[in-house]
Every structure is written in structure tokens, then in C-alpha cells.
């Protein structure tokens, strides 16, 4: 079956012009009305949430001169995260007052670094990055030392500011 | 019989298949395809068949899979152990993905070598490049949905790389993760990409691709010395088609055989090897992961480790983009002229170099000699043959060697890490001073151990290392290579 295309032009030029403009304006409005919430929703994660202070435990828990891996709950964690809502950090107590809190993420590409206490080194299993016990870069591909989280001591407790995944442009 | 005919007529009246689909099925293709060379034209259909298998198995898997960080792992195990044929569907989905990537590469190589991308099929190629890119992104997102330790850290590696994009880095990371850290939102995003957005895009591109294949026709097998000339090609092709054969059923038989083989092989592999993973639980506090991507990304993985630091960001982020752009540019750079591979040595060379590079990088990626063996210091003892002959001081040195985790990077008699050189015979290569210098100052890819060892430990360690040489050979007396060049530097100064 074939259909011949319609060739008739509406005689009412004026009314057609009005309709055309209405279609364009209303169409733009409708697109915006539906589009703004959709795009806004998709870009939602760009609204950054601040890291939050979390207690990492009592100061006495950390023997002087030692580095420990401790498991905490990510303060930003939400419903349905399961284990992914956990976060691990290395706590090094250099002396009475001086703490260093390292992210476990290698500064190269984010693999989890391992603390080898006897050697006094952090080693990365992915491409062989190595760090000294103070977190400074020792060898391998990482471009900088380990990421460190902000921390403070308060009433005998160690508080750490945690939340986001540290990367080169957004260190700990 | 009459009812069937009636139903058929009723349908035909509504669908008008005789006018629309039938001519398409019967469209002429070059007669040469009826010859054995027709086997070169089946790879696209094989890719398409595997894609359909992916869609069907994927839809099934999605009925059980739980795209939340809390439950995904358990749902994978449920698929593996509880759901009837769940394990097989997972396995088929994995092997079919593998097959799809392989067939895509074969298809593109064949199209490239036979010059089928040339005028007037540039757009067909371009859309094909889009299909390749989409498929690879699908493969990566699928790997993330196999939510285990590798998947968790794979995302972490991917966003660490993406985070290096100048200025926009942090925003990109947050968009990919759906927040500040890898969590439930991250997995949901990857799920949405993998099951809605990317398949939608892929099918859209595919429709255009197939439309172009039908409209612009299948290229005839190339003949050396018959270049594509934009002025005359269309006319000649028209003439060629006059003697052509209808696509259905003639060309379709080969496709049918090849596609059936593809499915049988994929299902066979799935039955034999079973599903992949899930591996370890995806728990960020389990730090003993050694993430390694699925095979198609091993070359990229290798590049991340092998590139010099100054080039690294460019190689990781820039090179894939350049690769895609280069592929897209192919028909515009060489859109006409010779089609036969025999007259296109550069094209053949490009294919060879590309495949050799990818395979070497992939092999490095798979065996990764740069990764330390994190357990070696405690699990791989100094071989008995070496320990037997040691003095107490040397034995002490052997203990230092283990405790300081030297074994994680250095092998003895082949066992241990491969990141640094094997030290089984280091005693004939280096003299004691050079060893002390290497241990204390580090160098190459070795950390300096100045702070990590006291002098007694260094002495013992070096005593042990000196002992590492075949019986009857004296310890190295010559200074190490670096020092040697200082001493023996050419004295052409006045
Ligand atoms: S991620 Fe640690 S060295 Fe590459």
C-alpha cells in the first residue's frame, strides 16, 4: 500500500504561525521542566559532603612506636552499603603526642598497601610501590607519600576526619 | 490449513512484511561470497549472536542479582549454588563476553585488512568503533558487578586514574562513585550503566550499523590492483550486484554455521571452566587483595606499572583516547585506493605491531613481574641447599633477609618475588661494598634500608649475600658496575 504525501497547505497562515510558536515555546518549557530534575539528580554526587570526625579509639590503645591497622565505620556510610561502609586506616603512634593516620590506599592507583612491621615498610601489591613507616615514598611508581587523614586528640581519644576516598587531586 | 492461511493473510495485511523485510532479506550481495572466501564475512554475525546470548543470559541474571553493596556478593553466591543453572548462566555470560571481545577484534581486523572500511562505508566503520568502545565499557562495568575484592579494588584503581584528570578529576570521581566513597551508590550506578544505559546505546549503534550494512552493501573481496575510486566505485558495485546472490538464504548458511559454532564453543567453555568468581568478599578492610583486571584490560594494567612516572598520567588517560580517535580516523586517512592487504604493507605492519604490543603488554599484565609477592617473606624459606653451608653470622643474615621482607621482591632459586633481580648468585655479581651501598641507600626500584636495619644486621645480611654463589667460585672482587665506570672512566682529559 502506498500513501501519497499530503500537499495541502493550511490556508490559515496566521493560525499556523501561532501554533508553530506555541509548539516551540511549550516544547522548550516541557523539556526544561522534565530535564532540570533529571540532570540535577544525575549530578547530585557533585554536591560534596564534608568528611566527619570519627573516634578511632582510646589513645592508650596505640602503643608508642607501633603502626596498626584498624577498622572503622565510614561516617558517611548509608543504607545498603554492607561491608563497603567500612573503612580501614593505619594508625602510627610515633611518640606520646605524635600520631599519623594513613589511608590504606596507595597514592599510585589506590590499591591497599600492606604494613610489614618487621621491615618497617608499607608495600603495595599492585605495582610494587613502597613507603617508609612515616608514610614517605620509598620506591616504586607512587608519585607521593601515603595520604594522611586529619586528626586530633580529645579527652584521651583519637579523633580522625574520614569519609571520602583519597585520590591524588583530593588527598586525605 | 485454511485457518493458517487466513491468520497469515491477516498478519501480512497488518505487517506488510512482503514489502519491507523480505526485500531486505533478499538484498543482493557480491557473488564471490558464495565461494570459500565467504567464510571471511561471518565474524560480524558471530559477534552479534554472542551479543544476543549476552542479552538473554543478562536478563536472566538480573532477575536474581541484587545491585546493592550489602547483598550483591550473596546474590552471586546464590546464583552459583542455589538457582537452577545459575552457575551456568553466569559462566555463559562471562565466556560470551570474552567471545564478543575476541570476535569484535577479529571482525575489525578483517575489515581493516580487506579494506572494507573504505568509500562508501566510512560511517559503517565509525559506528563500529563506537560499538567497540561501548562493548569495552560494558565489559568493565560487568566486571564491577561481579562484586568481590577484585571488583572493589578495580573500581578504586579506575577512579584513582580518572581522578588524575586535570581540574575535573575530583568531580569525575564523585560522579563515577555516586558519592565520596565506594559504596552502595557506586554499585547501583554501575548496574544502571551495565543493564540500561550501555545496552541501550549499544543496540542503538547496532541498528545504525546494520542499516548501513544493508544500505551500503557488503564490500566485495578485494582484488590487488583494483583500487577504490570514489568517482566510479558506486557504479561498479551496482554492476557487481546485478550478478550478485541474495543474502537470504545463500550467505546466511555460512553465518548460521559460524554462529552456531560460536554459541557451542561458548557454552562448552562455560560448562568446562564454570563461572568466574566471585572471589574474596568486597570488604575494604581486607587489605590482602591483589586486584587484577579481566584479560581485556591487562595491557592497560601493565601500562600503569611500566610507564615512567612523568608519562604515566598521559599514558593511562591519553593513550586509550588517542587509540579510539586513531581508529575513528582510519577511513578518513585512507578512504580510497588499494583494498587488498597485499598492496598495503603499512596496514599489515600496523596490525602486526598493534597485536604484538597488546600481547606483550597483556602477558606482562598477566604474570606481572613487577608485583612483589606479599607473602614470600613468611611463606618461602631460604632453600635448604643454601642454609646447610652457612656460618652462624651468615645464618643470621639469612634471617634478616627473611624478616626485612627482601624475599617479597627477590627470589632465591626461582622462589619469591620477581620485582627485583633473583639473588641466588648475587655473590658473583656484586662485591660487599656495593651490596652495603645498595642495601643502605637503595636505588633502582629498591627502597633505602638505612633506617630499617642497624649496622649489625647489614653486616650479617651482606655476609649472607656474599655466600650466594655457585660452589668453587670466589666472591666478586671487582667493584660493582656503577663504581667500575667511575674508576675506569676514559682518561681523555688533558
Ligand atoms: S597502586 Fe600501589 S603501586 Fe600502583
Amino acid at each position: 500500500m502506498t500513501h501519497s504525501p499530503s500537499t495541502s497547505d493550511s490556508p490559515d497562515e496566521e493560525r499556523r504561525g501561532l501554533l508553530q510558536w506555541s509548539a516551540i515555546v511549550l516544547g522548550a518549557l516541557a523539556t526544561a521542566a522534565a530535564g532540570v530534575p533529571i540532570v540535577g539528580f544525575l549530578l547530585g554526587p557533585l554536591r560534596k559532603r564534608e568528611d566527619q570526625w570519627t573516634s578511632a579509639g582510646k589513645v592508650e590503645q596505640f602503643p608508642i612506636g607501633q603502626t596498626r591497622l584498624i577498622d572503622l565505620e565510614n561516617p558517611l556510610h548509608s543504607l545498603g552499603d554492607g561491608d563497603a561502609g567500612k573503612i580501614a586506616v593505619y594508625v602510627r603512634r610515633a611518640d606520646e603526642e605524635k600520631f599519623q593516620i594513613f589511608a590504606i590506599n596507595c597514592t599510585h592507583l589506590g590499591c591497599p598497601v600492606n604494613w610489614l612491621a618487621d621491615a618497617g615498610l608499607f608495600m603495595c601489591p599492585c605495582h610494587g610501590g613502597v613507603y617508609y613507616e612515616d608514610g614517605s615514598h620509598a620506591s616504586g611508581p607512587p608519585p607521593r607519600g601515603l595520604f594522611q587523614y586529619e586528626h586530633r586528640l580529645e579527652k584521651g581519644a583519637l579523633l580522625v576526619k574520614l569519609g571520602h576516598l583519597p585520590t591524588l587531586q583530593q588527598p586525605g | 490449513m485454511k485457518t493458517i492461511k487466513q491468520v497469515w493473510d491477516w498478519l501480512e495485511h497488518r505487517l506488510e512484511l512482503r514489502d519491507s523485510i523480505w526485500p531486505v532479506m533478499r538484498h543482493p550481495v557480491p557473488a564471490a561470497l558464495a565461494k570459500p572466501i565467504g567464510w571471511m564475512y561471518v565474524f560480524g554475525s558471530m559477534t552479534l549472536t554472542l551479543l544476543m546470548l549476552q542479552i538473554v543470559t543478562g536478563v536472566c541474571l538480573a532477575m536474581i542479582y541484587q545491585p546493592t553493596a550489602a547483598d550483591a556478593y550473596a546474590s552471586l553466591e546464590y546464583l552459583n549454588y542455589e538457582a537452577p543453572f545459575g552457575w551456568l548462566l553466569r559462566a555463559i555470560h562471562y565466556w560470551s563476553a570474552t567471545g564478543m571481545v575476541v570476535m569484535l577484534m577479529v571482525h575489525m581486523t578483517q575489515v581493516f585488512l580487506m579494506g572494507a572500511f573504505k568509500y562508501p562505508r566510512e560511517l559503517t566503520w565509525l559506528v563500529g568503533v563506537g560499538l567497540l568502545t561501548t562493548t569495552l565499557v560494558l565489559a568493565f562495568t560487568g566486571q564491577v558487578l561481579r562484586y568481590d575484592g577484585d571488583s572493589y579494588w578495580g573500581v578504586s584503581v579506575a577512579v584513582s586514574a580518572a581522578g588524575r584528570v586535570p581540574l575535573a578529576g575530583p568531580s569525575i570521581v564523585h560522579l563515577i562513585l555516586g558519592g565520596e566513597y565506594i559504596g552502595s551508590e557506586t554499585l547501583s550506578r554501575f548496574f544502571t550503566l551495565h543493564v540500561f544505559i550501555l545496552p541501550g546505546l549499544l543496540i542503538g549503534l547496532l541498528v545504525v550499523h546494520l542499516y548501513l550494512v544493508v544500505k551500503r552493501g557488503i564490500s566485495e573481496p578485494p582484488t590487488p590492483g583494483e583500487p577504490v575510486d570514489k568517482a566510479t566505485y558506486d557504479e561498479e558495485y551496482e554492476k557487481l550486484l546485478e550478478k550478485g546472490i541474495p543474502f537470504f538464504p545463500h550467505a546466511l548458511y555460512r553465518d548460521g554455521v559460524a554462529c552456531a559454532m560460536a554459541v557451542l564453543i561458548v557454552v562448552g567453555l562455560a560448562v568446562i571452566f564454570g563461572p568466574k568468581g566471585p572471589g574474596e568478599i568486597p570488604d575494604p578492610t581486607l587489605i590482602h587483595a591483589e586486584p587484577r583486571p579481566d584479560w581485556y584490560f591487562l595491557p592497560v594494567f601493565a601500562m600503569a606499572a611500566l610507564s615512567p612516572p612523568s608519562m604515566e598520567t598521559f599514558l593511562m588517560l591519553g593513550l586509550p583516547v588517542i587509540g579510539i580517535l586513531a581508529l575513528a580516523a582510519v577511513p578518513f586517512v585512507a578512504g580510497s585506493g588499494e583494498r587488498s592487504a597485499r598492496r598495503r604493507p603499512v596496514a599489515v605492519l600496523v596490525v602486526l605491531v598493534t597485536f604484538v604490543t597488546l600481547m606483550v603488554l597483556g602477558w606482562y599484565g598477566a604474570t606481572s613481574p613487577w608485583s612483589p609477592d606479599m607473602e614470600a617473606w613468611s611463606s618461602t624459606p631460604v632453600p635448604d641447599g643454601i642454609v646447610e653451608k652457612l656460618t652462624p653470622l651468615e645464618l643470621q643474615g639469612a634471617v634478616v633477609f627473611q624478616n626485612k621482607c627482601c624475599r617479597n621482591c627477590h627470589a632465591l632459586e626461582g622462589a619469591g618475588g620477581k620485582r627485583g633481580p633473583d639473588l641466588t648468585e648475587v655473590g658473583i655479581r656484586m662485591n660487599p661494598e656495593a651490596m652495603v651501598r645498595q642495601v643502605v641507600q637503595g636505588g633502582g626500584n629498591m627502597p633505602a634500608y638505612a633506617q630499617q636495619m642497624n649496622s649489625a644486621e647489614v653486616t650479617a645480611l651482606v655476609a649472607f649475600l656474599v655466600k650466594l654463589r655457585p660452589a668453587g667460585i670466589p666472591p666478586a672482587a671487582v667493584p660493582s658496575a656503577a663504581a667500575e665506570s667511575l674508576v675506569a672512566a676514559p682518561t681523555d682529559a688533558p
Side-chain angles (χ1 to χ4, degrees):
Chain A
M1 203 187 293
T2 48
H3 315 269
S4 56
S6 154
T7 47
S8 70
D9 258 328
S10 156
D12 196 346
E13 286 289 324
E14 205 178 308
R15 195 178 53 171
R16 204 181 48 171
L18 187 68
L19 262 179
Q20 193 180 352
W21 276 108
S22 311
I24 292 173
V25 171
L26 278 176
L29 267 176
T31 310
V36 167
I38 290 173
V39 173
F41 177 83
L42 290 176
L43 297 184
L46 288 184
R47 199 188 52 220
K48 287 184 182 134
R49 290 183 295 167
E50 286 298 311
D51 288 0
Q52 286 171 24
W53 289 101
T54 294
S55 171
K58 292 256 159 281
V59 171
E60 316 85 77
Q61 264 172 261
F62 305 102
I64 290 176
Q66 282 192 27
T67 298
R68 294 203 156 169
L69 178 69
I70 58 164
D71 298 352
L72 300 172
E73 189 158 89
N74 189 328
L76 300 183
H77 91 279
S78 67
L79 205 65
D81 274 345
D83 286 334
K86 295 201 263 180
I87 188 168
V89 299
Y90 284 110
V91 177
R92 169 177 185 241
R93 187 175 188 181
D95 57 37
E96 195 58 47
E97 288 292 300
K98 188 171 182 304
F99 280 84
Q100 283 181 300
I101 322 296
F102 301 116
I104 56 169
N105 304 91
C106 182
T107 57
H108 178 226
L109 286 176
C111 287
V113 297
N114 288 215
W115 167 244
L116 297 161
D118 288 320
L121 297 170
F122 295 94
M123 280 192 191
C124 177
C126 282
H127 318 103
V130 184
Y131 307 84
Y132 294 118
E133 66 177 333
D134 65 353
S136 56
H137 173 247
S139 73
R144 50 158 289 169
L146 286 176
F147 300 121
Q148 293 190 36
Y149 295 112
E150 233 181 283
H151 65 277
R152 62 167 200 254
L153 300 180
E154 205 175 274
K155 298 197 201 96
L158 173 65
L159 299 181
V160 191
K161 205 170 179 191
L162 288 178
H164 74 284
L165 180 80
T167 57
L168 276 187
Q169 290 206 29
Q170 255 187 336
Chain B
M1 213 55 219
K2 202 161 152 253
T3 354
I4 295 180
K5 171 97 173 57
Q6 272 173 341
V7 170
W8 177 252
D9 285 345
W10 186 88
L11 276 174
E12 176 55 30
H13 180 252
R14 269 76 186 165
L15 292 168
E16 293 189 1
L17 286 180
R18 239 192 303 276
D19 286 350
S20 50
I21 301 290
W22 189 236
V24 175
M25 295 300 290
R26 296 284 292 179
H27 78 278
V29 296
L33 261 64
K35 302 206 193 91
I37 191 147
W39 287 113
M40 298 299 283
Y41 287 74
V42 299
F43 306 129
S45 310
M46 289 167 83
T47 317
L48 177 60
T49 305
L50 293 181
L51 169 65
M52 297 198 294
L53 193 54
Q54 286 301 78
I55 294 174
V56 176
T57 51
V59 167
C60 294
L61 292 175
M63 292 177 186
I64 301 272
Y65 185 74
Q66 300 284 316
T68 68
D71 298 325
Y73 188 86
S75 71
L76 288 170
E77 298 225 298
Y78 181 84
L79 274 166
N80 271 0
Y81 300 114
E82 301 265 346
F85 288 110
W87 68 275
L88 189 54
L89 286 191
R90 280 200 65 230
I92 294 176
H93 201 70
Y94 171 77
W95 285 103
S96 178
T98 294
M100 234 182 111
V101 176
V102 171
M103 290 326 298
L104 255 182
M105 287 184 174
V106 175
H107 179 51
M108 286 186 93
T109 310
Q110 177 260 336
V111 165
F112 182 75
L113 284 178
M114 288 174 63
F117 59 86
K118 293 186 186 235
Y119 179 86
R121 304 186 181 85
E122 299 96 329
L123 194 57
T124 321
W125 170 272
L126 208 58
V127 175
V129 173
L131 284 167
L132 172 75
T133 318
T134 315
T135 305
L136 289 177
V137 184
L138 266 165
F140 179 73
T141 49
Q143 187 186 311
V144 172
L145 294 191
R146 187 175 64 231
Y147 192 60
D148 58 9
D150 278 3
S151 151
Y152 182 92
W153 293 109
V155 174
S156 155
V157 167
V159 297
S160 293
R164 292 189 178 202
V165 173
L167 299 175
S171 304
I172 297 177
V173 170
H174 286 226
L175 277 182
I176 299 177
L177 296 185
E180 287 76 8
Y181 62 102
I182 302 169
S184 198
E185 312 248 345
T186 314
L187 196 61
S188 304
R189 287 205 160 214
F190 276 89
F191 182 74
T192 313
L193 273 173
H194 189 80
V195 307
F196 298 119
I197 299 172
L198 292 169
L201 186 65
L202 190 78
I203 291 171
L205 287 170
L206 188 65
V207 167
V208 180
H209 195 72
L210 293 177
Y211 175 83
L212 285 169
V213 168
V214 173
K215 282 286 166 191
R216 287 288 131 246
I218 300 172
S219 73
E220 71 280 15
T223 326
E226 281 183 17
V228 173
D229 182 351
K230 289 186 191 179
T232 56
Y233 182 82
D234 289 325
E235 211 178 310
E236 283 169 20
Y237 189 71
E238 273 310 310
K239 241 183 273 157
L240 188 83
L241 284 194
E242 276 164 25
K243 285 186 266 132
I245 52 168
F247 171 72
F248 177 84
H250 299 284
L252 213 57
Y253 287 141
R254 279 200 172 76
D255 276 346
V257 172
C259 295
M261 294 283 286
V263 172
L264 286 175
I265 291 175
V266 160
V267 175
L269 287 169
V271 170
I272 296 168
F273 295 106
K276 189 173 162 82
E280 220 179 39
I281 307 172
D283 177 341
T285 63
L286 301 179
I287 55 159
H288 295 288
E290 292 184 26
R292 207 182 283 272
D294 281 359
W295 68 272
Y296 11 82
F297 299 113
L298 284 175
V300 186
F301 176 69
M303 217 146 59
L306 295 177
S307 47
S310 57
M311 304 273 290
E312 195 174 72
T313 304
F314 166 75
L315 286 180
M316 275 185 313
L317 299 175
L319 213 56
V321 177
I322 291 177
I324 302 277
L325 290 181
L327 277 178
V330 162
F332 302 103
V333 174
S336 57
E338 277 290 350
R339 284 186 46 213
S340 168
R342 266 181 248 158
R343 298 277 175 99
R344 289 161 62 222
V346 178
V348 176
L349 200 67
V350 166
V351 168
L352 279 179
V353 169
T354 310
F355 274 98
V356 169
T357 314
L358 286 180
M359 270 156 67
V360 169
L361 280 176
W363 182 80
Y364 264 104
T367 54
S368 77
W370 58 78
S371 291
D373 176 351
M374 301 304 276
E375 311 297 334
W377 68 283
S378 54
S379 69
T380 316
V382 179
D384 288 351
I386 296 178
V387 185
E388 268 166 20
K389 296 169 230 130
L390 298 183
T391 67
L393 178 67
E394 291 158 0
L395 261 180
Q396 190 57 44
V399 172
V400 172
F401 192 68
Q402 292 295 118
N403 281 347
K404 297 298 175 184
C405 305
C406 307
R407 286 309 291 284
N408 289 14
C409 294
H410 294 288
L412 287 179
E413 297 184 352
K418 303 280 192 297
R419 167 108 183 138
D422 188 313
L423 295 184
T424 314
E425 298 187 341
V426 69
I428 46 177
R429 292 201 299 272
M430 282 177 130
N431 71 349
E433 293 94 79
M435 286 179 188
V436 172
R437 203 177 318 125
Q438 182 66 29
V439 168
V440 171
Q441 297 176 1
N445 263 322
M446 176 163 158
Y449 272 83
Q451 301 297 314
Q452 323 325 104
M453 284 185 205
N454 59 38
S455 65
E457 286 170 324
V458 174
T459 312
L461 177 62
V462 170
F464 167 66
L465 292 175
V466 168
K467 195 63 178 258
L468 292 177
R469 53 183 199 276
I473 307 259
V478 236
S480 70
E484 195 172 42
S485 68
L486 284 180
V487 178
T491 47
D492 46 7

